[in-house]
Amino acid sequence: MNVVDDKAVVKEYFNNTGFERWQRIYGDGEVNKVQLDIRTGHQQTVDTLLEWLAADNNLEGLSICDAGCGVGSLSIPLAQAKAIVYASDISEKMVGEAKENAAKLFGNNDNPTFSVQDLESLSGNYHTVVCLDVLIHYPQDKAAEMISHLASIAQSRLILSFAPKTPCLSLLKKIGSFFPGASKATRAYLHRETEIVQILEAQGFKIERKAMTKTRFYFSRMLEAVK
């Protein structure tokens, strides 16, 4: 029986064909209807998170780790709000694109700071750690390890998003509608919210806020956990 190394698959995908696909989705260029739907859903998740953080009225100077930053769709607006942002992604190409996007706005400013790292190699301590739309690429046991590590570097708050495991979404995934198209190169893993909450509570966190973003092809449950 062959064992799939999900991390290696994700890294390879997002440094090659996956980068081209998701660069278009996260960008503002022309895309097909499915990609536009996913772009809209992802942006709604980002906007909801930014609204949460803005409502707390303490973003300026706040240290935030954006784990799995992609092309900087969250890191850049956080830096614009004067948070101190440390962003990373497993994909060198994604990080390169994020740096270019940030340079267009900030020049050679060192905020946000970008690096190529997987989640488990992140170190330091940050007031808030954010990990959006990453856990879908990993099975439950790997996701549990990642969440536990992110919790260890979060001083006050950990915010996660994941594709929730519900009967409806499980059926969609089974029939191939969850991520349609020829570019499906990584597995799409669904996670039970109760299990994610249990992992967070075991690390000393409690759930403060929740949100659900649902479009035709994008489903994301976001949890804010605080100490």
Side-chain angles (χ1 to χ4, degrees):
M1 180 171 131
N2 293 327
V3 177
V4 176
D5 184 342
D6 289 282
K7 186 189 295 186
V9 170
V10 170
K11 184 175 182 179
E12 173 69 18
Y13 175 63
F14 282 102
N15 274 321
N16 291 285
T17 58
F19 169 73
E20 297 170 3
R21 180 182 187 228
W22 289 95
Q23 179 193 37
R24 291 196 302 272
I25 291 175
Y26 292 148
D28 54 10
E30 185 176 346
V31 290
N32 63 41
K33 291 182 179 179
V34 172
Q35 292 170 331
L36 179 59
D37 182 87
I38 296 172
R39 175 193 289 174
T40 299
H42 175 74
Q43 189 58 51
Q44 287 177 5
T45 296
V46 170
D47 289 344
T48 297
L49 174 54
L50 292 172
E51 289 171 6
W52 283 359
L53 299 180
D56 294 339
N57 199 32
N58 66 344
L59 257 181
E60 185 170 352
L62 201 70
S63 63
I64 300 178
C65 175
D66 182 9
C69 65
V71 299
S73 54
L74 175 64
S75 299
I76 291 172
L78 286 175
Q80 287 177 311
K82 298 184 179 180
I84 307 303
V85 183
Y86 303 86
S88 65
D89 199 278
I90 196 173
S91 166
E92 183 177 357
K93 282 196 172 182
M94 284 289 187
V95 170
E97 182 74 8
K99 286 181 177 179
E100 289 184 13
N101 292 337
K104 293 174 185 176
L105 293 173
F106 307 118
N108 294 323
N109 195 330
D110 59 358
N111 185 44
T113 298
F114 293 101
S115 66
V116 180
Q117 288 181 279
D118 59 42
L119 298 187
E120 295 92 332
S121 67
L122 292 173
S123 60
N125 286 284
Y126 311 91
H127 178 279
T128 297
V129 175
V130 180
C131 184
L132 296 187
D133 294 349
V134 172
L135 298 179
I136 191 171
H137 301 296
Y138 298 97
Q140 182 63 27
D141 58 343
K142 193 64 177 176
E145 293 176 9
M146 291 176 167
I147 294 170
S148 297
H149 179 69
L150 293 176
S152 73
I153 62 173
Q155 296 173 341
S156 300
R157 176 168 54 191
L158 175 56
I159 301 174
L160 306 168
S161 74
F162 56 93
K165 190 168 188 176
T166 65
C168 179
L169 293 190
S170 296
L171 178 60
L172 286 175
K173 180 175 181 290
K174 186 175 182 180
I175 64 177
S177 298
F178 192 77
F179 272 117
S183 300
K184 290 188 293 183
T186 64
R187 298 184 180 187
Y189 293 98
L190 310 181
H191 298 284
R192 290 186 176 87
E193 182 175 341
T194 54
E195 294 180 354
I196 299 295
V197 171
Q198 287 173 357
I199 298 167
L200 291 166
E201 290 179 342
Q203 300 297 321
F205 288 82
K206 64 178 182 178
I207 304 303
E208 185 74 12
R209 287 181 280 205
K210 299 182 180 182
M212 179 70 194
T213 301
K214 181 168 64 174
T215 64
R216 188 176 179 186
F217 297 109
Y218 177 94
F219 306 86
S220 183
R221 182 63 151 165
M222 186 163 60
L223 303 177
E224 177 193 47
V226 299
K227 285 186 177 179

